[in-house]
Amino acid sequence: MAGRALIVVDVQNDFCEGGSVPVKGGAERARAIGELVRRGSGAEYREVVATRDHHIDPGSHFSDHPDWDHSFPAHCVVGSEGSEFHPEFAPVVASGAVGEIFFKGAYSESKSGFEGTSGDGVGLAAWLRARDVDAVDVVGIATDHCVRATALDGVRAGFGVRVLLDYTAGVARESTDRAMEELREAGVELTGTPVVGS
């Protein structure tokens, strides 16, 4: 019987308070997601995976004059403290509760977790299918950017997709509302309420 996986999107230091591209509520969501993983792995979820922005040289995605849509200040540079998982989430990764990590955006913008690959080069969709997963819950940072892109690509890849908004943080009200409408139109199930920065 097919099962459900949890995809935790980009719960990294640079996207939480104190990081280079902070999202209000990011640290609190990191704590809540850690608790969700501890409760859900092996019970509600067949698999739990996480994505990481993993930038080496993403070209115009890094900008001194960002448009805050496709370009941003430098963030999640490979080897930096900002690229590491937030301390409220890192312990559950270290515990083994997260089955795989998918790295994205080494040389590109790459917002969607489905553009990422595991350490041995397997894409997220293929990895999930190999484990008989047909539905995913998506949580993480930010609702209006990488969570949105991951959820939409999940639908395109043929998965049933829910976004658990209680475990997401959005950058701004207008862009988060727009993202939620786009997700609904794509057939994504939305539950809860996101924290929104402004």
Side-chain angles (χ1 to χ4, degrees):
M1 187 175 76
R4 180 175 294 275
L6 178 68
I7 303 173
V8 179
V9 176
D10 299 359
V11 181
Q12 294 167 264
N13 288 325
D14 270 344
F15 298 133
C16 297
E17 291 84 349
S20 64
V21 190
V23 179
K24 182 180 178 182
E28 190 281 326
R29 287 320 205 227
R31 180 193 58 74
I33 290 167
E35 292 175 359
L36 175 67
V37 172
R38 280 188 284 269
R39 289 196 313 269
S41 70
E44 183 173 359
Y45 297 112
R46 173 166 293 181
E47 300 288 347
V48 177
V49 301
T51 71
R52 279 179 68 162
D53 254 16
H54 189 72
H55 295 310
I56 296 172
D57 182 9
S60 61
H61 184 50
F62 284 178
S63 175
D64 292 333
H65 305 283
D67 64 14
W68 302 100
D69 185 13
H70 297 289
S71 62
F72 296 85
H75 59 275
C76 298
V77 174
V78 172
S80 70
E81 183 63 27
S83 73
E84 298 298 322
F85 287 123
H86 189 275
E88 292 283 0
F89 179 62
V92 300
V93 178
S95 76
V98 174
E100 189 60 85
I101 299 167
F102 291 84
F103 299 90
K104 59 189 178 70
Y107 299 99
S108 66
E109 177 180 359
S110 194
K111 288 186 177 183
S112 169
F114 284 91
E115 297 176 274
T117 56
S118 64
D120 54 3
V122 178
L124 176 54
W127 192 94
L128 292 171
R129 286 197 187 98
R131 287 152 182 82
D132 206 22
V133 168
D134 66 353
V136 297
D137 286 353
V138 183
V139 300
I141 308 169
T143 318
D144 36 352
H145 291 282
C146 295
V147 169
R148 168 193 161 275
T150 299
L152 290 173
D153 275 358
V155 171
R156 292 184 191 111
F159 295 94
V161 181
R162 291 190 307 202
V163 173
L164 310 184
L165 294 170
D166 286 338
Y167 299 92
T168 69
V171 173
R173 171 57 61 193
E174 182 180 351
S175 54
T176 298
D177 287 348
R178 195 164 56 241
M180 290 193 297
E181 183 58 32
E182 187 176 0
L183 291 167
R184 285 190 195 96
E185 289 176 359
V188 174
E189 181 183 348
L190 303 179
T191 68
T193 307
V195 164
V196 179
S198 58

